[in-house]
Amino acid sequence: MIREWVSLKPHNSFRIDANAAFFTEISSTADLLRLMDTAIFLEQPRYILGGGSNTLFTQDFPGLIMKIRIPGIRVLSENDREVILQTGAGVNWDDLVHHTIDRGWGGLENLSMIPGETGAAPIQNIGAYGVELDSVFVSLDALDLKTGELTRFDREMCRFGYRDSIFKRDLKGKFLITAVTLRLSKQHRLHLEYGNLKEVLKADGITDPDIRHIGSAVRKIRSSKLPDPAVTGNAGSFFKNPVITQDQFLKLSETHPGIPSYPAGNQIKIPAAWLIDQCGLKGKRLGDAGVHERHALILVNHGKATGRDILDLADTIRAEVLDRFGITLEPEVNLV
Ligand code: EPU
């Protein structure tokens, strides 16, 4: 069923009150194939929406929003060492993380509490606390929105990068992901290197952590510094962490000796949060659009901000960071 002029407020974590000219929910491949025969699908601009936790609606959407609801978590195969799990694109990501940790399957614990749905996870190769989706990914199934053909993409075909994949580039809007297949381990390799993960575990008296402890520690860290979208509208990190050349980095370190950095291949990644923080923008507000008080990379909606308000604030931040550091910040959030 296609509904007309639907508020998107319940469907985006920024809680922006924009409307969609047309809105439909997709619970199966069959639903999608039926939709593809309709005039609205064929004639209107389209946008595929998962949990709406990485999207900023900057205005009313003039076409068709396709909200993904495809359910299901199923074991495709397993042995003593690993489990191959196929998950419907509409499964809430964190429900999936709980499901796997509860069964002792490792791989997703560092990715605890990331908002959004499973089908969106490969699009931006979600990552947190030293792990990216890429590392557990086997394949995904996606429907070609032109031909209706179901295609399987393996890891190589997805061309994963830092918050990046082919679905953000050459294939943007061309395929609809219906299911994602992951490889999880029964013999765990823990990732404790990132940030203060080790300290948090230690402070809780955990000396020999398992995946459950890591999941809880990540939840604790995230809750302490990231605003809960159910309370304050936001879409996580608004910008990507910029990657610069060694030369650029050396020059910047001369003028800014304390600048934090992480290796990124033969380049250097700088935390965008630090750049924004240095500009004194933490807590800054333009009307109801604000920079979160506890984390400079998170833009928040204090109530009645429009998408345009958030964008204006983002532009102000980009201009200040460019002026001060000569670095252009790129949005991590999809602007629609
Ligand atoms: N920092 C500041 N000021 C702040 C916050 C952070 O200076 O207000 C500096 C600190 O030096 C800190 C560094 O920035 O050590 C990094 O901060 P943090 O560990 O919070 O990570 P991040 O780089 O800001 C990235 C991801 C997050 C992910 C965390 C943890 C991106 C764009 N963001 O944030 O992902 O949860 O690492 O792994 O890569 C998201 O994508 O929506 C997201 C929340």
Side-chain angles (χ1 to χ4, degrees):
M1 189 186 61
I2 299 178
R3 290 186 290 144
E4 290 186 31
W5 206 245
V6 172
S7 170
L8 295 170
K9 196 171 177 181
H11 301 292
N12 74 94
S13 63
F14 256 125
R15 297 283 173 264
I16 300 294
D17 198 8
N19 292 292
F22 303 99
F23 183 94
T24 194
E25 298 189 2
I26 293 171
S27 303
S28 64
T29 310
D31 272 3
L32 180 57
L33 290 171
R34 264 193 303 274
L35 177 72
M36 286 176 69
D37 283 333
T38 65
I40 289 174
F41 177 90
L42 294 168
E43 290 161 11
Q44 298 290 331
R46 304 184 289 250
Y47 186 72
I48 304 165
L49 190 65
S53 56
N54 205 43
T55 296
L56 177 65
F57 290 107
T58 59
Q59 54 188 358
D60 289 328
F61 188 72
L64 173 66
I65 299 279
M66 299 183 279
K67 163 84 189 159
I68 308 304
R69 296 260 188 223
I70 304 171
I73 301 179
R74 116 191 133 94
V75 173
L76 294 186
S77 67
E78 73 179 299
N79 58 31
D80 300 347
R81 283 170 291 112
E82 59 183 35
V83 182
I84 306 292
L85 201 65
Q86 188 176 57
T87 305
V91 171
N92 173 273
W93 175 261
D94 200 37
D95 289 350
L96 175 65
V97 174
H98 278 296
H99 182 97
T100 59
I101 293 180
D102 284 350
R103 286 162 181 73
W105 302 334
L108 306 187
E109 56 281 1
N110 294 54
L111 304 175
S112 288
M113 231 177 132
I114 296 183
E117 285 162 15
T118 304
I123 297 181
Q124 57 153 339
N125 185 20
I126 57 170
Y129 304 97
V131 174
E132 286 186 336
L133 178 80
D134 188 6
S135 64
V136 290
F137 182 88
V138 175
S139 66
L140 62 80
D141 295 334
L143 210 99
D144 184 330
L145 292 177
K146 219 171 201 164
T147 63
E149 223 173 306
L150 199 62
T151 309
R152 177 153 293 180
F153 289 78
D154 64 20
R155 190 160 169 253
E156 203 141 303
M157 287 161 82
C158 291
R159 296 210 219 124
F160 291 121
Y162 164 58
R163 292 297 192 279
D164 198 33
S165 76
I166 196 162
F167 301 101
K168 280 185 102 170
R169 297 179 179 273
D170 309 20
L171 299 186
K172 191 171 180 174
K174 296 200 167 118
F175 281 83
L176 187 145
I177 295 171
T178 56
V180 179
T181 301
L182 305 174
R183 172 178 284 110
L184 303 169
S185 67
K186 292 185 182 173
Q187 296 162 2
H188 307 135
R189 227 187 95 219
L190 307 181
H191 298 274
L192 299 165
E193 314 76 32
Y194 188 95
N196 58 343
L197 206 44
K198 272 190 201 138
E199 288 94 276
V200 170
L201 287 164
K202 205 169 156 206
D204 282 347
I206 313 288
T207 45
D208 184 19
D210 62 20
I211 56 172
R212 197 176 298 269
H213 297 125
I214 296 181
S216 307
V218 167
R219 278 169 206 287
K220 200 166 176 180
I221 300 170
R222 290 187 76 101
S223 316
S224 73
K225 59 182 181 186
L226 305 180
D228 178 358
V231 180
T232 310
N234 78 90
S237 300
F238 193 88
F239 298 103
K240 289 197 208 184
N241 285 331
V243 175
I244 61 176
T245 63
Q246 304 266 6
D247 274 359
Q248 271 176 302
F249 179 67
L250 282 178
K251 279 194 197 113
L252 271 177
S253 333
E254 280 165 21
T255 40
H256 304 277
I259 189 166
S261 64
Y262 309 99
N266 50 8
Q267 297 192 299
I268 308 275
K269 198 188 273 179
I270 310 288
W274 186 87
L275 300 170
I276 299 169
D277 210 346
Q278 291 296 303
C279 294
L281 294 170
K282 219 186 229 175
K284 181 184 172 69
R285 277 179 79 145
L286 281 182
D288 264 356
V291 180
H292 187 51
E293 294 82 3
R294 272 174 290 149
H295 201 300
L297 196 50
I298 317 282
L299 303 192
V300 295
N301 175 3
H302 285 293
K304 291 201 158 50
T306 62
R308 191 68 242 178
D309 295 337
I310 304 277
L311 209 54
D312 286 346
L313 177 62
D315 286 343
T316 307
I317 294 169
R318 292 181 77 182
E320 293 209 22
V321 168
L322 180 62
D323 185 51
R324 187 147 173 177
F325 296 99
I327 292 176
T328 303
L329 294 181
E330 298 297 339
E332 194 256 345
V333 167
N334 299 308
L335 308 178
V336 180

